[in-house]
Amino acid sequence: MRKYYSSPSDILNHFWDAPITAVFDQNVVSLATSRSISSLQRARWAGFGGPCFIKIGRSVRYRKSDVLRFLDACKPFQSTTEAQHSKEALA
């Protein structure tokens, strides 16, 4: 049975309370990663820049463990200037 949630915070609570083996659609992962759905779609198409995903039939799903691994791999910055300098160094 599919659950329906009334607010984004309910969806996020569902994500964080779920077991590590749970799978989620792009709507939930979009909220959990603070990325737009189109950004997740573009990352899938490009093959990098987003969490790993699985296909179940025609549906795209993300394992919670893969989403957490993706978030852990994101480098934290102290300021936007630091992030910009890091981006320039990669170019």
Side-chain angles (χ1 to χ4, degrees), residues 48-75:
F48 64 90
C52 295
F53 66 95
I54 57 174
K55 293 279 287 188
I56 302 174
R58 293 177 58 190
S59 300
V60 172
R61 296 292 183 260
Y62 295 87
R63 290 183 185 106
K64 182 179 179 181
S65 59
D66 291 332
V67 174
L68 296 177
R69 190 175 304 111
F70 169 75
L71 291 173
D72 285 342
C74 293
K75 181 180 179 188

Side-chain angles (χ1 to χ4, degrees), residues 26 30 33-42:
Q26 64 185 3
S30 172
T33 60
S34 299
R35 296 184 65 170
S36 67
I37 291 173
S38 62
S39 174
L40 291 172
Q41 291 169 338
R42 192 170 38 258

Side-chain angles (χ1 to χ4, degrees), residues 13-43:
N13 287 336
H14 171 65
F15 176 82
W16 292 112
D17 292 342
I20 196 76
T21 56
V23 294
F24 298 97
D25 65 17
Q26 64 185 3
N27 298 312
V28 175
V29 174
S30 172
L31 286 170
T33 60
S34 299
R35 296 184 65 170
S36 67
I37 291 173
S38 62
S39 174
L40 291 172
Q41 291 169 338
R42 192 170 38 258

